[in-house]
Amino acid sequence: MMHRALHELPRAAPFLKELLRLLRAQGPSTAWDGKDDAEILAPFLLPKGRRESSGEEPDPDVFWRIEIFHDAVGLAIEARTGVVCTTMLKMQHEGFGRLVLLAGRLVVVSRFLRDAHRFGFESVERLADAGEKLVAGGESMIERFPEAARYAQ
Amino acid sequence: MMHRALHELPRAAPFLKELLRLLRAQGPSTAWDGKDDAEILAPFLLPKGRRESSGEEPDPDVFWRIEIFHDAVGLAIEARTGVVCTTMLKMQHEGFGRLVLLAGRLVVVSRFLRDAHRFGFESVERLADAGEKLVAGGESMIERFPEAARYAQ
C-alpha cells in the first residue's frame, strides 16, 4: 500500500484530491519532496490488526488527521456547491466525540465519533469512499436547506 | 456584588435560572451549601480593571465557564421552544475561538470569541442580559429555520 504508484490511486475522487492538497500544503515545503501520494496518505491507513488492537497509547496526531480529513470533505463540498464549510471537533472521554461541518446556519455534516483514537482506513479506496460519502451527504443537506447554508453571519 | 441577596438578582430571567441550576448541579453536593446565588455567579463577574489587564496567566476554568454559560443559553432556548441544543466550543490561539449551539441541522447560536481568557461580566445584570440576548437570537433562528432545527440525526 505504501509503495503504490500515484497513478493507481482513485484520483478522480474530488475528496482525495482536496485531502492531498491540504496535506501537501500543511507540511514544511521540503517534507513531502519526492514522496508520492500513497506515501502522504499512509498515516490515514491502519492495518486491520492495528485498528483492532487495544491498550496502546493514543497517537497524538490522530485529532489532527480527523480534522484534516473533514477539512478536505469541506473543501470538496465547497468545490461542488460554492458553500464554504468550517470543521468543528469536540472530543469527549475515551475516544468519543462529535464532528460537524458548518456553513452559514446549516450543520452540513454531523458525525458522532467513537474509537476516534483509532481513526483510519483499511485502504486508500476506503478512505476515498468514506470522504466521498460525506461530501455527497453534505451536498444533499445544502440542497435541502439552501437558505440556512447561505445565511450570512 | 458578592454579597448581594438572592432576591435582588434578576431571577425572572430564564437564562439566569438555568445557569444557576447548572452550576448547582455540577458542583459536589456540598460545595454550594449555604452559598446564595450571587456567590455562585461570582466566578462569571470580572471587575473592570481585571478584564482590561493583560499579561496574567489564563484561568484554566475559563473554558468551563464559557461552556456552561452557553449550555444555560441552550437550556433556556429548550424551555421556550422544545428544541434541544448542544454546545460546541473550538478554541484557537490567543483567546480566539468559535462557539456554536446546534440543534438538528441548525446552527442556533453562532459566536466568534476573542479575549476568551477574560470571559466575564461587570455585573449580574450584564451577565443576565448577555444570556437573554443569545436566547432571543436563538429562538428567532429556530422560528426562521424550523425544519432544520427539528431535523432528526
Side-chain angles (χ1 to χ4, degrees):
Chain A
M1 193 60 69
M2 302 267 301
H3 301 95
R4 180 186 285 232
L6 190 142
H7 65 273
E8 289 179 62
L9 295 175
R11 284 181 60 89
F15 160 74
L16 211 57
K17 198 179 113 196
E18 299 293 351
L19 181 59
L20 284 162
R21 277 175 55 195
L22 273 183
L23 290 168
R24 287 197 183 271
Q26 296 228 347
S29 58
T30 55
W32 305 125
D33 277 4
K35 290 201 181 180
D36 68 25
D37 291 352
E39 282 174 286
I40 289 174
L41 295 174
F44 290 86
L45 305 183
L46 296 177
K48 215 173 177 216
R50 193 171 145 216
R51 273 176 69 81
E52 283 167 5
S53 71
S54 61
E56 57 184 293
E57 279 297 297
D59 177 349
D61 289 336
V62 73
F63 300 118
W64 178 80
R65 285 199 299 275
I66 291 173
E67 292 220 39
I68 208 164
F69 171 90
H70 292 92
D71 287 348
V73 170
L75 287 171
I77 291 171
E78 182 186 349
R80 287 204 210 160
T81 64
V83 170
V84 178
C85 296
T86 308
T87 306
M88 283 185 81
L89 172 65
K90 180 180 188 173
M91 288 309 303
Q92 256 122 19
H93 53 91
E94 301 285 326
F96 283 82
R98 185 165 184 202
L99 187 298
V100 291
L101 294 183
L102 307 179
R105 287 295 187 149
L106 183 66
V107 181
V108 176
V109 170
S110 175
R111 303 185 70 188
F112 294 90
L113 306 173
R114 53 180 199 168
D115 279 338
H117 52 292
R118 275 179 263 155
F119 180 78
F121 302 89
E122 281 173 44
S123 65
V124 172
E125 287 72 16
R126 295 230 173 163
L127 166 67
D129 286 351
E132 289 297 332
K133 204 171 159 185
L134 291 171
V135 173
E139 219 180 330
S140 71
M141 271 299 139
I142 291 169
E143 276 166 26
R144 182 165 184 154
F145 300 113
E147 200 202 335
R150 291 178 174 86
Y151 188 89
Q153 200 276 322
Chain B
M1 193 60 68
M2 303 264 300
H3 300 96
R4 180 186 285 232
L6 190 144
H7 65 273
E8 288 179 64
L9 295 175
R11 285 181 59 89
F15 160 74
L16 211 57
K17 197 179 112 196
E18 298 294 351
L19 182 59
L20 284 162
R21 276 174 55 195
L22 273 183
L23 290 168
R24 288 194 183 272
Q26 296 227 347
S29 57
T30 56
W32 306 124
D33 276 4
K35 291 201 183 179
D36 67 25
D37 292 351
E39 283 174 286
I40 288 173
L41 295 174
F44 290 86
L45 304 183
L46 296 176
K48 216 177 175 211
R50 193 171 144 217
R51 275 177 68 81
E52 283 166 6
S53 72
S54 62
E56 57 184 289
E57 279 297 297
D59 177 348
D61 288 336
V62 72
F63 301 119
W64 178 80
R65 284 199 299 274
I66 291 173
E67 293 221 39
I68 209 164
F69 171 90
H70 292 92
D71 287 348
V73 170
L75 287 172
I77 291 170
E78 183 187 348
R80 286 204 211 161
T81 64
V83 170
V84 177
C85 296
T86 307
T87 306
M88 282 186 80
L89 173 65
K90 181 180 186 172
M91 288 311 301
Q92 255 121 20
H93 52 90
E94 299 287 325
F96 283 82
R98 185 164 186 205
L99 187 296
V100 291
L101 294 184
L102 307 179
R105 287 296 186 148
L106 182 65
V107 181
V108 177
V109 170
S110 176
R111 304 185 69 188
F112 293 90
L113 306 173
R114 53 179 197 169
D115 279 338
H117 51 291
R118 274 179 264 154
F119 180 79
F121 302 88
E122 282 173 42
S123 66
V124 173
E125 286 73 16
R126 295 229 173 164
L127 166 66
D129 286 350
E132 289 298 331
K133 205 172 158 184
L134 292 170
V135 172
E139 218 180 330
S140 71
M141 271 301 139
I142 291 169
E143 276 165 25
R144 183 167 184 151
F145 300 113
E147 200 203 335
R150 292 178 175 85
Y151 189 88
Q153 199 278 320

